[in-house]
Amino acid sequence: KQVDAGSTFIAAIKIEGTLWTWGSNYSGQLGNGSQSTPNVPTQVGTNTNWVRVSTGAYHSAAIKTDGTLWTWGNNDGGQLGDGTTVDKNTPIQVGTSTDWTQVSLGIDHTVALKSNGTLWAWGENNFRQLGRDEFWGTATPTRINSDTNWAQVSAGVNYTLAIKSDGSAWAWGSND
């Protein structure tokens, strides 16, 4: 149904809603409860309600049919959004919101959209990739401005791109 490739690993959702990962697992980014590196696709848990998955350099995120957002893997910059900088090798829920519709991962940051058109970001901000003027990042989802017309978002290495519902394109972060 959907697939995404990280730096050295892959995550995919099958038609029936199961989530599978394979490849490198340095930081637990496969979500299999360990740092073992299987050479074949391995199911993440037993859930059958995954609808969207995104991979970064060494972390992963996925959204379930109930609108909850889950992350796992490397967390040295707070990119998992759980308020810590501790790596997780199984999926953990990000907050209690049930209205996440889209998520995208960079190297050390995460950006996500909610159904009300708001845009959120967390993790490292050393290149201003979170859309904030401060140099420091945040380990919890933080809203990017007050706009409610964000339609699509994509995280790059140290930058972020987004499109609003009026078709205008926006970019911030590293401009190398």
Side-chain angles (χ1 to χ4, degrees):
K1 180 164 107 173
Q2 195 229 330
V3 65
D4 199 40
S7 60
T8 58
F9 68 103
I10 298 168
I13 298 173
K14 288 186 174 185
I15 295 296
E16 77 276 0
T18 56
L19 176 60
W20 298 75
T21 57
W22 62 98
S24 297
N25 196 25
Y26 308 114
S27 301
Q29 65 264 36
L30 297 185
N32 64 11
S34 73
Q35 289 181 319
S36 67
T37 303
N39 58 7
V40 296
T42 304
Q43 188 173 345
V44 177
T46 59
N47 293 311
T48 60
N49 60 342
W50 299 103
V51 293
R52 209 162 200 165
V53 66
S54 181
T55 57
Y58 303 105
H59 71 298
S60 303
I63 299 173
K64 289 185 177 182
T65 55
D66 63 3
T68 57
L69 176 61
W70 299 74
T71 58
W72 60 96
N74 181 264
N75 196 29
D76 60 359
Q79 61 266 41
L80 297 185
D82 68 343
T84 75
T85 56
V86 177
D87 294 354
K88 307 294 188 303
N89 60 20
T90 58
I92 55 157
Q93 187 173 344
V94 177
T96 59
S97 294
T98 59
D99 56 348
W100 297 105
T101 59
Q102 192 179 130
V103 63
S104 184
L105 310 182
I107 288 183
D108 292 319
H109 78 292
T110 302
V111 291
L113 285 174
K114 289 190 172 188
S115 59
N116 63 3
T118 58
L119 181 58
W120 299 74
W122 56 95
E124 290 287 336
N125 194 41
N126 48 336
F127 293 93
R128 311 302 190 268
Q129 62 266 42
L130 300 184
R132 300 175 33 195
D133 242 356
E134 300 90 10
F135 181 73
W136 58 89
T138 178
T140 57
T142 303
R143 189 169 168 183
I144 296 178
N145 71 35
S146 60
D147 294 347
T148 58
N149 62 337
W150 296 103
Q152 189 173 4
V153 66
S154 183
V157 172
N158 288 310
Y159 61 95
T160 303
L161 305 170
I163 298 174
K164 290 188 174 183
S165 57
D166 64 5
S168 61
W170 296 76
W172 54 93
S174 178
N175 194 30
D176 290 346

